[in-house]
Each structure stands twice: as structure tokens, then as C-alpha cells.
Amino acid sequence: MNCSYCNRRAVYFQRHSGKHLCRKHFVENFLKRVKRSIRKYRMIERNEIIAIALSGGKDSVVLSHVIKTLYGGRRDIELHAITVDEGIEDYRPPTVEISERLCRELDMEHHVVSFRDEVGLELDEIVKRGGRNACSYCGVFRKYLLNKKAREIGATKLATGHNLDDETQTILLNFLQSDIERMARLVPSRVQKGLVMRIKPLREIYEQEIVVYALLHNLPVSLEECPYSREPVRAVVRDFLYEFENRYPGRKFSVMRSFETLLPCLWEMYPQIDLNNCELCGEPTPKKICQACELKRELGLI
């Protein structure tokens, strides 16, 4: 098929719009939608220091490339990448290498922080010692280290690679589990002391489009799945949304728009609370002791 805008051969069929896109128009459309999301939520403004959470997977690699493409020429914007090495044998080392290679190619400063150095144990060791599943430890410590490092380098924003599929799955999952307060926190309403504001520039880009973008730009990415990844409930929601989207293209956008319409009400019902400094490490927390330190204490690390 030819492109809907020119006579070049199409490389992608955009089902929600019904258009075939060549390489040129696919990339233009992709970047246009990212810029629209950034402007809509004022994710990146003047005189920013942007830290990018770079895991080496497709989403974070594409995010890094896109932000460098859009803002790499701006003198008032400084870009950094942060990679968290959890310590997962055979899985994490290759992605750290991918991240290092990408940062060299993009001429972007790269920071690597590890569970071993910052927590005291690698995730493989934590799983053997602790009584929880791996994701319970990994999610808390990853967020803790990303925020801590981003703040240390003076970042004003922390960009993550969450895409449209991720966001709609989370919205629906929170609704089904009656966790409305967590849903309200998906889009922060204001800056909180000690917490670097998170932004999601790819939140309106399909996961499939991210794969195509990576292939078209020959980006180094890892498509390996984390060996600890076990999310049975999310998997059911993911499969439902995939099937629903296949039958009715554009429905993931409908989920997103409905959520955005409800946001003002959610923020009013669950306003962001002021955070304290953890009594043990000084990191921001709504309690006296942050969740990371609670887990460290549980593991006998403090």
C-alpha cells in the first residue's frame, strides 16, 4: 500500500485513523503527537534539566531518542539518562550495555545506580532473603533510586517511557481494583518537595508504534522480558484491551480521554498531601519512614 499522504510505500497502517504511513510521515506523526502531549501537560518548559529513566528496553530507548531529537538542540535544556541496575543475572547486564551505547550515540550523560551499592543487595539476593515477590521489592527500590539520583543531578523533571498501552492498562486496573486514589496520582497535580516531577511524553503512543519507530531508526533495544515479571491480573486487563482495540480501533484513546475528563474530580477528592522527610534516609515519604527503608529494615539491611 502507498502512504495516504504521498506515493511512497507505506511502512505502517494506523488503525485508529485508517491511514497508511510511509517512513517520513510515520515519524512526523509520531513526533507531532509526542510534542502535543508535552505541550498539553507542560511536561518540558524553558530552562529544564531532564532526567530520562533508561532501562535499555524499547520504550525508554525510543523515549531517549525522541527527547534528544526534539530538545537536543536547545541550549536551555540539559539531558541526562539514569539506568538502574537491579542485579538480575543474565537479564540486566545486556540492557546496561545497550543504555551505555545509546548514550554514547546520543551524546547524553549517563548515570548508572545499582541495588548493590545503594540498597546493599542485588535483587536476586533480595528475592532469596525476603518473603515478598520480586516486583514488590523492585518497584519500590527502583522509584527510590530514580528519584534520589534525579534530584542529585538537579533534574527538574524525570521522564519515563510509559506508553498508551501501559497507561490505559493502569487506569482500568485501578478502576477494577477500586484504587481510585492511586488513579488520581497517575498525573501529578503539583510539584512536591523532594520529589522530582515525573513526565510521560509517550503516553499517547501505542506500544506497536514504539516498536516500529525503534526499527526505522535502527535503535539498540532489548525485547527480553524480565524473568521476575509475573502480573496475572494486569495480563488479563492487557489482553482485554488488545482485543477491544482490535475490534474497535481507537478505544484506548477513549479510555485515556475519559480518565482526563475525570482528573479534576479525582484531584479534588484526593488532593496531593505534603510529604515528610524519611527519618532514616531523608527521602520524601507520606509517613515517618519511607517504604524503601521499611523494606531494608525487613531484610535486615538497616
Side-chain angles (χ1 to χ4, degrees):
M1 297 292 294
N2 289 336
C3 175
S4 299
Y5 295 99
C6 65
N7 290 322
R8 298 186 185 91
R9 185 172 68 88
V11 298
Y12 183 73
F13 175 53
Q14 195 175 65
R15 297 188 74 244
H16 73 272
S17 69
K19 295 176 181 177
H20 292 84
L21 302 173
C22 64
R23 184 188 193 282
K24 175 179 179 292
H25 287 106
F26 171 84
V27 173
E28 285 182 357
N29 178 269
F30 191 106
L31 296 177
K32 178 182 178 181
R33 285 157 57 205
V34 172
K35 285 190 289 187
R36 186 171 59 203
S37 290
I38 290 173
R39 286 196 302 267
K40 183 176 183 179
Y41 287 100
R42 301 175 67 180
M43 296 182 191
I44 300 177
E45 299 180 284
R46 293 180 180 178
N47 303 311
E48 299 264 36
I49 299 177
I50 308 298
I52 302 169
L54 176 59
S55 68
K58 64 184 187 314
D59 299 318
S60 64
V61 166
V62 167
L63 173 66
S64 301
H65 187 274
V66 167
I67 290 183
K68 181 68 175 183
T69 299
L70 295 176
Y71 298 98
R74 290 266 298 268
R75 292 185 178 182
D76 64 321
I77 292 180
E78 187 178 320
L79 302 178
H80 295 254
I82 303 173
T83 299
V84 177
D85 181 357
E86 305 93 341
I88 305 175
E89 188 177 7
D90 298 329
Y91 170 73
R92 185 51 69 198
T95 62
V96 173
E97 291 179 11
I98 287 172
S99 299
E100 290 173 343
R101 173 185 162 190
L102 180 70
C103 286
R104 286 195 299 270
E105 293 177 357
L106 297 180
D107 190 26
M108 188 183 298
E109 189 166 353
H110 187 215
H111 310 266
V112 180
V113 291
S114 71
F115 277 24
R116 164 65 68 185
D117 294 338
E118 301 289 339
V119 177
L121 292 173
E122 295 185 341
L123 184 59
D124 289 341
E125 298 170 314
I126 291 172
V127 171
K128 293 176 182 177
R129 179 183 294 197
R132 304 169 183 256
N133 64 57
C135 296
S136 297
Y137 295 110
C138 187
V140 170
F141 289 138
R142 275 182 58 82
K143 290 177 183 177
Y144 174 86
L145 295 181
L146 282 170
N147 185 71
K148 182 180 178 183
K149 190 63 182 180
R151 197 179 63 250
E152 286 176 359
I153 63 179
T156 53
K157 301 285 175 58
L158 174 60
T160 63
H162 293 86
N163 56 52
L164 180 64
D165 299 65
D166 298 325
E167 290 291 275
T168 52
Q169 288 167 26
T170 300
I171 291 166
L172 188 54
L173 189 59
N174 286 336
F175 181 81
L176 293 173
Q177 294 180 329
S178 192
D179 199 344
I180 308 303
E181 184 174 1
R182 179 168 294 189
M183 191 187 299
R185 297 200 304 266
L186 284 178
V187 180
S189 59
R190 63 180 174 86
V191 176
Q192 292 174 292
K193 182 181 177 182
L195 201 61
V196 180
M197 175 73 81
R198 293 200 172 204
I199 58 173
K200 303 171 185 177
L202 303 182
R203 68 191 304 271
E204 297 205 11
I205 303 294
Y206 285 95
E207 183 177 34
Q208 187 179 52
E209 293 175 312
I210 288 171
V211 174
V212 173
Y213 185 97
L215 291 172
L216 291 177
H217 290 84
N218 196 30
L219 297 177
V221 299
S222 172
L223 298 177
E224 295 295 321
E225 187 174 337
C226 175
Y228 291 118
S229 179
R230 298 185 185 91
E231 299 179 287
V233 179
R234 179 176 282 269
V236 172
V237 172
R238 178 197 64 205
D239 293 345
F240 164 74
L241 282 171
Y242 282 163
E243 177 61 28
F244 197 48
E245 180 75 22
N246 282 335
R247 294 184 64 179
Y248 308 103
R251 288 304 180 264
K252 288 181 181 177
F253 282 117
S254 299
V255 172
M256 182 69 78
R257 297 294 172 262
S258 297
F259 166 69
E260 291 172 339
T261 301
L262 290 172
L263 260 180
C265 298
L266 294 174
W267 285 340
E268 185 174 343
M269 290 173 63
Y270 301 101
Q272 287 185 330
I273 62 174
D274 292 329
L275 299 177
N276 307 309
N277 292 328
C278 174
E279 293 179 355
L280 297 179
C281 70
E283 287 298 296
T285 176
K287 303 177 182 179
K288 291 184 177 181
I289 307 297
C290 73
Q291 198 171 1
C293 285
E294 289 283 8
L295 290 180
K296 285 184 185 180
R297 191 154 58 183
E298 183 182 298
L299 292 164
L301 297 174
I302 55 175

